[in-house]
Structures are given as C-alpha cells and as structure tokens.
Amino acid sequence: MDQELFGKVDHYISEMLAPEDEVLKETIKSLDDENMPQISVTANQGKFLQVIARMCNAKRILELGTLAGYSTIWMARSLPESGKIVTVEFDPHHANVAKQNIEKAGLSDKVDIRVGKAMDIMLQLKEAKEEPFDLIFIDADKPPYAAYFEMALTLSRSGTVIICDNVIREGKVLDEHSDDDRVVGVQRLNKMLASNENVTATILQTVGVKEYDGMAIAVVK
C-alpha cells in the first residue's frame, strides 16, 4: 500500500469537504497538551459521522469513547436545536478535557458527558427507559465490542444506525490465531454481525492518515 498517497488523498478530501475550524484544531492539540493518545477519528471521518447523523435525521446520539471530544463535536453540530448526544468516557481526565473543548465549541447544552464504564452507563440508560437513540457510535475499548453492540441494540429502534470504529485493525482480523485482545474483540463483533438477524450490516475499509482500518455500519431492522 502507498501510505503517502493515502495520506495525501485524505488531506485533499478533508481540506475540501471537512475543513477544521479553530475549535477542532485546538481539540486535536489538547491531546498532546494533556498527554492523551492521538487516536481521534480523522477530519474526514468526523464529517462522515456528521453526514450519517443528518441522513438518519438524528435527534438523539449515543457515543462510547469521548476522548477529547473531537468526534463528539462533529456529531453534535449535526443536531437540531432540541437534539442531544450522550457521550461516555471511562477516564475522568479525558472527560474533563472533552468538557472544556465542548464548551469552547458552544455545544455544552447539547452534550451530556457520562463518566464511567460504558456497559454500566448503557445499563443505566436502559433501566431509566430513556428514548431510543437514532445513531450510536462505538469507539471504546475493543475486547467487549460485541457486548457493547448487543447492549446498543436494546437502546435502539427500527432504523437506528450503529457504527463501530477500528474493526479491521490493519488487516489483523484475518489472523484467526491472534492473541491480541483488541483483534479478538473485533473479530467477535464482525462474526456476530454476520449472523445477527436484527440488523443489516457491512464493513467499510478505511485508509488515510490513520493508515488502514475499517468501520462496521449496521441499521436496525
């Protein structure tokens, strides 16, 4: 693969169709400033999530894995006046950084940051019998991906779109003998999607500045 070419094309797309404003640039910069990993989605992927949110007319969004709030901001900007995104972050420090970035973006009234384990908070949402979500973006720890997806279904309605990031792992999903928990986690998810009769799903391979990976996209029947 020509990684340099993929990176150039990614920049071409982002600069033309997904230009970052100062808030988004500062959000990415905050990762380095706060010694956090540079694992946010790319600008083009953020725009992709925003487009999907608009396509499904999302008024309620659930995100697992806030980090510094970069993808959160992209999606929150798609919401109508009364829209809400619930974003879940395990690390309190990450959540605090995200809170500051979201405030700078002027989106605090649309973003509900929940701190804790993703499964625990999804259970709380289920027990509270909150309205179903229109879009669910899963970008948290990989080993329990299949469990996250199954729980996401209980928070969905017919037509809800569920997107799971990082499901190709640079092609490592082809290794049936992998001892990498992250690879095994997404392998489990991908196999489950193939047999899950509650959704229509596929996987899109992704290349660009974040190298080679993929996103699973499912629509609840």
Side-chain angles (χ1 to χ4, degrees):
M1 296 187 295
D2 188 339
Q3 182 58 41
E4 182 179 357
L5 176 61
F6 293 155
K8 288 180 179 179
V9 172
D10 207 348
H11 283 301
Y12 167 81
I13 296 171
S14 297
E15 289 173 5
M16 185 175 295
L17 297 172
E20 296 175 305
D21 60 12
E22 286 305 309
V23 169
L24 289 169
K25 290 177 182 177
E26 289 177 9
T27 299
I28 291 298
K29 182 176 181 295
S30 71
L31 292 168
D32 288 334
D33 292 343
E34 298 293 334
N35 296 312
M36 294 165 62
Q38 281 285 357
I39 54 174
S40 299
V41 299
T42 65
N44 189 35
Q45 290 169 340
K47 184 63 176 292
F48 171 76
L49 294 170
Q50 189 180 90
V51 168
I52 294 298
R54 290 190 180 277
M55 284 177 65
C56 65
N57 194 30
K59 297 179 178 64
R60 284 176 54 79
I61 299 174
L62 173 63
E63 176 183 47
L64 305 184
T66 315
L67 197 62
Y70 185 79
S71 54
T72 317
I73 292 170
W74 274 107
M75 290 187 288
R77 285 176 170 175
S78 74
L79 290 169
E81 190 69 26
S82 60
K84 179 72 71 174
I85 176 169
V86 176
T87 183
V88 182
E89 175 55 51
F90 176 73
D91 188 310
H93 174 60
H94 293 181
N96 185 56
V97 173
K99 181 176 182 291
Q100 295 176 46
N101 289 327
I102 289 163
E103 287 176 351
K104 291 177 183 177
L107 294 167
S108 297
D109 59 331
K110 292 184 177 180
V111 180
D112 178 3
I113 302 176
R114 308 280 183 98
V115 181
K117 292 182 178 180
M119 189 61 73
D120 291 346
I121 291 175
M122 284 195 288
L123 282 169
Q124 291 171 13
L125 292 168
K126 181 180 178 181
E127 291 170 357
K129 297 182 179 179
E130 294 201 17
E131 291 181 45
F133 292 93
D134 308 303
L135 172 63
I136 299 176
F137 179 47
I138 301 175
D139 191 16
D141 49 324
K142 311 311 173 193
Y145 251 33
Y148 289 160
F149 189 91
E150 291 285 7
M151 181 57 71
L153 286 176
T154 71
L155 301 172
S156 302
R157 57 165 176 80
S158 176
T160 293
V161 177
I162 304 175
I163 300 177
C164 304
D165 199 13
N166 309 125
V167 300
I168 296 299
R169 314 297 303 175
E170 297 182 336
K172 294 175 183 176
V173 289
L174 298 179
D175 181 3
E176 296 182 0
H177 305 291
S178 176
D179 58 1
D180 185 326
D181 288 345
R182 294 167 298 180
V183 173
V184 174
V186 297
Q187 286 173 330
R188 189 181 302 117
L189 168 73
N190 297 342
K191 289 176 182 177
M192 183 270 290
L193 289 178
S195 60
N196 193 313
E197 297 182 354
N198 295 312
V199 299
T200 300
T202 191
I203 294 173
L204 295 179
Q205 298 182 74
T206 58
V207 294
V209 294
K210 291 295 178 71
E211 300 182 351
Y212 177 44
D213 214 318
M215 286 185 174
I217 304 174
V219 180
V220 179
K221 293 182 180 178

